[in-house]
Amino acid sequence: MQLTSPKAVGIFLGVLYGISMRIVIEFSTALKFGSLVTISFMFLVPVAIGYIRVHFEYNENPNLTYRQMIVKAWQPIFIFLLVSIVTLLEGSICVAMALPAFMFFASLGGVLAGFTRRKISQKSNATLLSITLLPLALSPIELNFLHLSKTYEVTNSITINAPINIVWQQLTNVSHIEPQEIPFSLTRFIGVPRPLEANMNASGVGAIRTSTWQKGVVFKEIITDWQPNKQMLYKFEINPDLIPDNALDKHVKLGGEYFSPLNGGYRLSEDKSGNTILALTTKVQDKTNFGVYSRIWGEVIFQDFHHSLLTLMKNRAEKPLAAVISHS
């Protein structure tokens, strides 16, 4: 591929546009002009990147199929996100969450570019300029007037072959968690720190359960409902300033500007066979404008995290019983 070919130009300008928009919007946040956590950046910037990529290659290859437009639009997206990680503009968690949306909307931009060049070729450059400026035009409007904050609950449960009182004992104080006790999961793959332990300073309502994760992440759970062998509910007390910057990407930092767990807890019940049903619920506040897309990621991450914790509780509660059976 020659560096001056339309293909190379489209890729280079697409990447350059993405990085430039990333930097411009980052520095304009303080002026209430833009934000990275907006529809304008998350969805419209990749549309423009895909549009740029296909717009320039069309000069050389006007017979591009729509399938080629869709795939070629991904090329500058991958490079842009890779550069963002290497230069520390973004962390792995944010990139992983953004990638599906970036690919989808870049493809829309690529198809739109191909359609525009075929139908209104005389004004294609003007359309290109409009597409690239659209995020800058809409970002301040969205930031100041569009607020789609949502609160939702995520609940998961697991069946444990152990008495309720044995399971209850696992909830209050969680001793050091070995790496092999937590199943490999999506959250660990994308860089979310894993839990290490949880300790309570007392029992009953008002007690504090302190959770410690990898990378220096520490937060508190204030007990709001305490019914031994039935339920333990709590509200989160998280100071985002005490969470190291390298532990969680700033846009998904617990208790941060955009994303915060509010409360949650464990509930225990017994099935007909005498097994314990352990349910874990977390109530989450999402202050982004991403709507369904953000909700999907929130559900995925918390369900994944719940699964890890519930599996830990199950294995620890069943272990003494298994040892007794084996010994007898």
Side-chain angles (χ1 to χ4, degrees):
M1 179 177 63
Q2 296 181 354
L3 296 180
T4 57
S5 68
K7 177 180 179 179
V9 171
I11 293 175
F12 173 77
L13 290 180
V15 174
L16 181 61
Y17 172 82
I19 294 174
S20 299
M21 289 295 293
R22 169 65 178 78
I23 294 173
V24 168
I25 293 180
E26 173 80 9
F27 283 101
S28 67
T29 300
L31 303 175
K32 297 296 182 180
F33 180 78
S35 171
L36 297 176
V37 187
T38 57
I39 295 172
S40 302
F41 181 81
M42 188 72 169
F43 302 145
L44 296 184
V45 166
V47 167
I49 292 175
Y51 194 101
I52 292 170
R53 169 67 182 92
V54 174
H55 173 87
F56 282 94
E57 178 147 349
Y58 197 89
N59 293 330
E60 182 181 77
N61 185 8
N63 295 318
L64 285 172
T65 65
Y66 284 112
R67 181 177 180 180
Q68 289 175 316
M69 296 173 193
I70 290 172
V71 175
K72 288 180 182 293
W74 297 344
Q75 295 169 336
I77 290 293
F78 292 148
I79 298 173
F80 164 52
L81 293 178
L82 178 61
V83 170
S84 296
I85 293 177
V86 172
T87 59
L88 303 181
L89 286 172
E90 291 293 347
S92 60
I93 300 173
C94 281
V95 168
M97 295 176 69
L99 181 59
F102 271 41
M103 291 175 64
F104 177 78
F105 285 96
S107 294
L108 289 183
V111 170
L112 179 62
F115 178 82
T116 302
R117 292 298 302 269
R118 289 176 181 174
K119 300 298 181 180
I120 51 175
S121 59
Q122 298 298 320
K123 298 181 179 180
S124 60
N125 289 332
T127 304
L128 171 64
L129 181 61
S130 299
I131 292 292
T132 56
L133 292 179
L134 189 59
L136 289 175
L138 295 183
S139 186
I141 298 175
E142 177 187 352
L143 193 63
N144 289 284
F145 298 102
L146 183 63
H147 303 287
L148 301 179
S149 178
K150 297 291 183 181
T151 300
Y152 57 89
E153 287 188 351
V154 180
T155 300
N156 296 91
S157 63
I158 195 169
T159 300
I160 302 176
N161 183 21
I164 282 184
N165 65 309
I166 297 297
V167 177
W168 174 262
Q169 294 172 14
Q170 306 300 323
L171 305 181
T172 54
N173 285 290
V174 182
S175 59
H176 181 74
I177 304 170
E178 299 296 336
Q180 64 271 18
E181 291 187 279
I182 297 291
F184 185 78
S185 61
L186 173 64
T187 54
R188 292 179 63 184
F189 178 74
I190 65 177
V192 176
R194 68 176 179 85
L196 297 177
E197 61 182 11
N199 298 300
M200 292 189 65
N201 67 344
S203 62
V205 175
I208 299 175
R209 187 172 184 258
T210 302
S211 292
T212 304
W213 292 6
Q214 285 180 318
K215 300 183 180 180
V217 176
V218 179
F219 57 89
K220 297 178 181 179
E221 299 160 352
I222 313 300
I223 304 301
T224 57
D225 192 341
W226 178 272
Q227 300 180 45
N229 301 330
K230 291 184 178 181
Q231 68 179 21
M232 181 180 72
L233 307 182
Y234 47 78
K235 63 178 180 180
F236 288 97
E237 185 178 280
I238 304 173
N239 185 347
D241 294 332
L242 298 181
I243 297 179
D245 292 337
N246 65 340
L248 291 165
D249 298 353
K250 62 182 179 180
H251 301 123
V252 293
K253 181 177 286 190
L254 293 177
E257 183 178 356
Y258 305 108
F259 182 74
S260 181
L262 301 177
N263 52 61
Y266 293 92
R267 291 180 171 86
L268 301 90
S269 59
E270 189 175 84
D271 66 12
K272 295 180 180 179
S273 301
N275 297 315
T276 300
I277 308 298
L278 178 63
L280 174 57
T281 298
T282 301
K283 189 174 184 179
V284 184
Q285 184 175 33
D286 176 359
K287 290 177 280 189
T288 71
N289 287 336
F290 298 155
V292 174
Y293 187 78
S294 181
R295 173 68 179 268
I296 290 173
W297 267 109
E299 293 271 0
V300 167
I301 288 176
F302 273 96
Q303 286 193 27
D304 187 80
F305 186 62
H306 284 181
H307 173 71
S308 296
L309 288 180
L310 292 173
T311 300
L312 172 71
M313 301 303 174
K314 175 181 174 67
N315 292 338
R316 288 192 171 185
E318 292 179 349
K319 188 175 181 180
L321 180 61
V324 170
I325 295 174
S326 175
H327 181 72
S328 59

